[in-house]
Amino acid sequence: MHESIAGFEMPTEIEVRRAADLLRMLSDPTRVKILWALLQGENSVACLADLIGATPTAVSQHLSKLRLAGLVENRRDGTFIFYTVENAAIRPVLEQVLAIAPTSAAERG
């Protein structure tokens, strides 16, 4: 058995579940690209599809998931819908994940 660790604090179950849900949203390469593109500024589905090299249908489906997760928001302008990142605090999270992601031996050459 271990002794109590002085000053040890564990996040609540709700906090842990929310963090895991966020990480699941970031577990898809297309969603990471979409969020990164949206951190550069507001974009439409067609523009995002062009920027990340995916079909508009795929981008739309991912945006729907990101919107339900509270990571992006949209606004309508006539027949167009434009998306933005809802909480800019996602930027340092993405930057950190991209910085610490290990490279494979093949990528290193």
Side-chain angles (χ1 to χ4, degrees):
M1 293 289 169
H2 69 80
E3 295 296 316
S4 230
I5 301 171
F8 179 80
E9 293 182 25
M10 180 66 75
T12 67
E13 286 300 316
I14 291 172
E15 290 169 329
V16 170
R17 194 170 312 115
R18 286 180 185 159
D21 289 344
L22 171 62
L23 292 172
R24 268 192 290 285
M25 279 292 112
L26 298 178
S27 70
D28 185 279
T30 300
R31 288 194 288 268
V32 170
K33 289 178 186 178
I34 289 170
L35 286 169
W36 192 260
L38 289 175
L39 284 167
Q40 314 308 309
E42 181 180 72
N43 274 297
S44 67
V45 171
C47 185
L48 287 166
D50 189 48
L51 285 170
I52 69 168
T55 66
T57 302
V59 169
S60 184
Q61 290 171 352
H62 286 290
L63 283 166
S64 178
K65 291 177 184 178
L66 290 168
R67 192 174 55 77
L68 288 173
L71 294 173
V72 301
E73 58 189 3
N74 62 15
R75 73 172 180 86
R76 183 176 292 278
D77 185 5
T79 59
F80 293 98
I81 299 176
F82 294 92
Y83 290 85
T84 56
V85 170
E86 186 168 318
N87 185 343
I90 195 70
R91 177 185 291 279
V93 173
L94 284 176
E95 288 173 342
Q96 287 295 312
V97 170
L98 290 167
I100 65 171
T103 56
S104 68
E107 290 172 319
R108 288 188 295 270

